[in-house]
Amino acid sequence: MVKKISMLALAGLIALPAVASASGGASSNDLERKIEELSMQLDQLKAQMAKGSNADLSELQESVSDLEDRSEAWDLSARFKFYGDYRARLDYFRGTGVFGTVYKSDTLWTNRFRLNMRVKATDNVEFKARLAMYKAWGMQSTPQGLSNGYPIFDGNATRTPADSALRVDRAFVNWNNIGGAPIWFSIGRRPTTDGPPAQMRMGTDERMATPVAYMDWPFDGISAGYAYRWGTEAMGTGRIRFCYGRGFEDGLEAQDGISNTVDDTDFAGLSWDVMKKGDRFLNIQSFMAFDVFNYPAFESDFVNFGASMSPADGGFGPQMNIGNLLHSSLVYQDKMADINFFAVGGWSQSDPNDNGMFNDAAGMIAQGMMAQGVPQNQVPGALGMMGITDPDLAAHTSSESGYSVYVGGRYDIDAIGLKVGLEYNYGSEYWISMAPGHDDMFQNAKLSTRGSVYEVYGIYDLPTGDAISKYAKTFIRFGYQRYEFDYSGSADWNLKPYDYGNASDLATMRALGMDPIETADQIYLTFEAFF
């Protein structure tokens, strides 16, 4: 406003001589004097305008400098991306044991909150993390019977309801484009839970982990990979990665030849995305678990103390390595029109050491009796009083193979925001899945089942208005699972799988006081919000 007035005044001063001349009444001396006065006033106005401009310029420079200072802080903050999800879940479960025992939970409510973070350090180095809280309503510990009765350990932390602590679920650094090539290196707590095709029934529709769902185990490790293009549009892209991780750390070991030492348990293998084009995806995976433990280190010192007791006293016996496990799988998934579908196959093979895998429980009790001083010739009589006539006292050191098949599909009705899915999986007598981090509530992962599981589910996208966040998604998920077990010990590589259709195995289980679940029904309902 000041500048506008000054310019108008200046224009008026310049116009005055012309006005004075037109009047015809002034002398030349008067005109000279007027011109001198006007010149002085013009100089004063120029000085004032210059002073004002310098002040304005100075103020502008200060504002720009302030913005630059703040922009650096804004830039640092903008590098951090936070997003997360919340899930409330209600479960009903009813199982029937081989000998008729009923296991039931009418209502189990759980809360799960997860917070994700991504931040770039350089153009090619990125950090990713996820924190998770997962608990049952009304408890600060794991409810009885969840995770097949296993307490919390490294392989199921953040994946089994526990307390309200916010724990690190994933935390790793990726170094991409190494040397300008499509090669990367990654290290940290790995994204190894809810692998494909789990995203289909969980409603995320985006791949959530590196390995196939049979390897559902949060662990710490490294991976190195190479990405490529097939060169034909129909095949799309692919990538192959080498993965290494630690499943159990024993710490400092005494090398005195007397102490019972347990070696660390390590994982190593390859995961190959053979091709990825739109919804079409093919992956082959193979890994070895070295020096597998008979049981892990649980969070509870009390449980660890009890586990150290012999089987005859109700414990697991001393912690020890029992051999290696080889595991391979293949998954193919695709979409035709509004139908998503997949087919998965898995194969496992045990490689026991002298301690054995799939040992006869009766034989282990017999060994415990002998360890407590019962003569071996008296053990059969003692077991005979229990109804066990022919226990295998030797450790089972033979290699055993198992397999699993898993198929399913989902029909998307986008017009009403509804998705309906159906799945089936079957596991053989000696099938082993590495899935302590599974997302199923009561049984030790449906994909570990030695027998059949049928599941039907629905996902309904709630009409919650326009999305504020690009991660926004709100839906309810409801489903029913039917378990039909053929053998005992799903996911367990320690004990012999007892055949529910074999009279001798049934007699042994009865004598041992075992009544494992033969059939079960589970119904679940979730409310999930991603933000």
Side-chain angles (χ1 to χ4, degrees), residues 16-339:
L16 279 175
V19 173
S21 298
S23 66
S27 66
S28 61
N29 291 334
D30 291 335
L31 289 176
E32 289 178 0
R33 182 172 51 82
K34 291 286 186 183
I35 291 172
E36 288 178 0
E37 290 176 358
L38 290 173
S39 297
M40 292 176 61
Q41 292 176 13
L42 181 61
D43 291 339
Q44 290 175 357
L45 284 172
K46 286 182 179 179
Q48 290 176 3
M49 292 177 65
K51 183 178 180 180
S53 298
N54 290 337
D56 291 343
L57 180 61
S58 176
E59 183 179 351
L60 180 61
Q61 287 175 337
E62 289 179 3
S63 298
V64 170
S65 177
D66 183 54
L67 287 172
E68 288 177 346
D69 292 340
R70 282 186 286 174
S71 69
E72 183 177 356
W74 291 339
D75 178 63
L76 288 173
S77 300
R79 293 185 303 112
F80 288 81
K81 295 181 180 179
F82 291 95
Y83 53 101
D85 62 89
Y86 166 79
R87 183 182 79 183
R89 174 167 172 159
L90 171 64
D91 282 89
Y92 165 86
F93 180 85
R94 188 182 192 279
T96 303
V98 177
F99 303 115
T101 302
V102 174
Y103 305 88
K104 186 177 180 181
S105 174
D106 288 332
T107 56
L108 174 68
W109 289 90
T110 55
N111 285 331
R112 188 188 69 186
F113 163 65
R114 301 188 299 193
L115 179 64
N116 298 279
M117 180 178 71
R118 297 179 65 174
V119 57
K120 274 201 166 190
T122 68
D123 287 341
N124 296 321
V125 174
E126 183 179 34
F127 172 75
K128 297 181 180 181
R130 184 167 75 187
L131 307 178
M133 180 277 288
Y134 192 17
K135 69 177 294 292
W137 288 20
M139 288 198 73
Q140 289 290 330
S141 58
T142 302
Q144 180 178 343
L146 269 62
S147 280
N148 211 29
Y150 257 30
I152 301 299
F153 72 103
D154 190 63
N156 66 8
T158 72
R159 306 291 302 176
T160 298
D163 55 28
S164 35
L166 195 61
R167 293 183 169 86
V168 176
D169 183 49
R170 299 176 176 181
F172 57 96
V173 173
N174 292 336
W175 177 17
N176 303 310
N177 302 315
I178 299 176
I183 299 172
W184 76 90
F185 170 80
S186 181
I187 187 167
R189 185 120 175 121
R190 310 306 305 152
T192 50
T193 51
D194 299 330
Q199 75 276 3
M200 200 171 291
R201 71 181 175 112
M202 291 185 179
T204 63
D205 292 333
E206 293 182 1
R207 183 176 182 174
M208 296 181 286
T210 296
V212 179
Y214 286 142
M215 178 59 180
D216 211 328
W217 188 311
F219 65 86
D220 309 290
I222 62 174
S223 69
Y226 169 75
Y228 61 88
R229 292 186 178 276
W230 277 99
T232 61
E233 187 67 19
M235 294 293 288
T237 62
R239 55 182 57 196
I240 186 168
R241 58 184 73 77
F242 167 78
C243 303
Y244 163 80
R246 177 140 296 173
F248 170 69
E249 169 60 52
D250 186 51
L252 190 64
E253 300 174 355
Q255 304 292 325
D256 56 8
I258 300 174
S259 301
N260 179 42
T261 61
V262 181
D263 293 330
D264 302 327
T265 298
D266 291 328
F267 305 135
L270 293 173
S271 181
W272 181 18
D273 297 349
V274 180
M275 60 87 63
K276 175 74 171 69
K277 174 62 178 177
D279 296 302
R280 184 173 300 139
F281 174 66
L282 174 64
N283 174 277
I284 298 174
Q285 175 180 290
S286 186
F287 67 89
M288 179 77 82
F290 299 91
D291 296 317
V292 173
F293 44 73
N294 57 342
Y295 59 89
F298 301 123
E299 276 192 2
S300 169
D301 291 335
F302 177 77
V303 172
N304 284 323
F305 173 77
S308 65
M309 296 187 296
S310 70
D313 295 325
F316 296 149
Q319 192 176 35
M320 64 181 73
N321 298 117
I322 57 176
N324 306 321
L325 287 170
L326 176 62
H327 203 283
S328 298
S329 57
L330 180 147
V331 58
Y332 176 77
Q333 59 186 46
D334 206 343
K335 184 175 183 179
M336 295 180 62
D338 294 324
I339 300 177

